Amino acid sequence: RYLLGHLAVLVCILIWGLTFVSTKILLEDLTPLEILFSRFILGYVALLIIYPRRLKTNSLKEELFLMAAGISGVTLYFLLENIALTYTFASNVGVLVATAPLFTAILAHFLLQGERLYGRFVVGFIIAFTGISLIAFNGSFVLKLNPLGDFLATSAAAVWAVYSVIMRKISEFGHNNIGCTRKVFMYGLIFMLP
């Protein structure tokens, strides 16, 4: 079970890492919004197949949290990331989006009870960020900044932090995780329509 969990995490990391490059390639033929919408329609259908039951929330507050997660973690995060890829390199976006855990830890420290920033986290973040940078730039570091694209990628990381904190609150409601994720996807798709 422990090994299976680690393998699942490695597959997730591999797929997540490939999204920057694959999105950059898709941007040659599709707009950022077309990529985003297609991606989440597929995700929604897959989650509907896995968990076909309707998620019943207990209050308007729970529904508002699901909506907020949809607009932050689906619509805004991925739209910012996809648009950033049209202005800057996939390696820049990959490295800048990797700052999301730092933003999340800072936001969680102030908004979630029991979440503290420890020195071990900061050291671990620096080591991980250094590793991500070395992999992304693959020994051929050329400083090519694009202020707009890099700002959008950093904004995406900050928005992901908001989404992560919201999802932590949603997890306390006691609903099925797949059902919650599917509903978040649904709200994200609805907010993409305008």
Side-chain angles (χ1 to χ4, degrees):
R1 189 179 264 283
Y2 185 76
L3 179 63
L4 186 61
H6 278 76
L7 287 173
V9 167
L10 287 174
V11 169
C12 183
I13 290 168
L14 178 66
I15 292 169
W16 192 270
L18 289 172
T19 61
F20 299 108
V21 176
S22 60
T23 301
K24 188 77 171 175
I25 293 168
L26 287 171
L27 284 167
E28 294 174 11
D29 297 314
L30 300 170
T31 68
L33 193 56
E34 290 170 333
I35 294 168
L36 184 61
F37 199 76
S38 302
R39 182 179 189 174
F40 281 95
I41 284 286
L42 290 171
Y44 182 85
V45 170
L47 292 173
L48 185 60
I49 291 167
I50 294 168
Y51 187 80
R53 291 180 288 258
R54 181 176 175 264
L55 180 73
K56 296 178 186 175
T57 54
N58 297 319
S59 67
L60 178 61
K61 176 185 172 186
E62 289 182 4
E63 207 65 39
L64 290 173
F65 269 95
L66 290 163
M67 285 180 191
I71 196 165
S72 61
V74 175
T75 306
L76 291 177
Y77 169 78
F78 284 101
L79 192 58
L80 288 167
E81 179 187 293
N82 288 357
I83 293 171
L85 285 165
T86 65
Y87 289 102
T88 192
F89 298 100
S91 58
N92 286 28
V93 175
V95 170
L96 291 170
V97 167
T99 62
L102 179 63
F103 287 120
T104 303
I106 293 167
L107 198 60
H109 174 76
F110 290 107
L111 297 179
L112 297 175
Q113 190 173 9
E115 292 290 334
R116 297 182 189 263
L117 281 174
Y118 293 103
R120 290 180 309 192
F121 170 80
V122 174
V123 170
F125 175 79
I126 291 169
I127 292 169
F129 190 75
T130 302
I132 290 165
S133 298
L134 290 173
I135 291 168
F137 295 117
N138 197 20
S140 59
F141 181 74
V142 178
L143 188 60
K144 290 188 178 178
L145 300 177
N146 179 298
L148 179 57
D150 296 342
F151 172 75
L152 291 170
T154 305
S155 298
V159 168
W160 186 261
V162 171
Y163 167 75
S164 297
V165 169
I166 293 169
M167 287 304 291
R168 170 74 183 276
K169 295 297 285 182
I170 289 171
S171 71
E172 296 171 4
F173 298 152
H175 298 299
N176 178 281
N177 288 336
I178 296 172
C180 286
T181 303
R182 191 184 77 222
K183 198 153 199 182
V184 166
F185 278 27
M186 179 195 76
Y187 281 124
L189 286 163
I190 289 169
F191 287 119
M192 277 181 231
L193 290 176

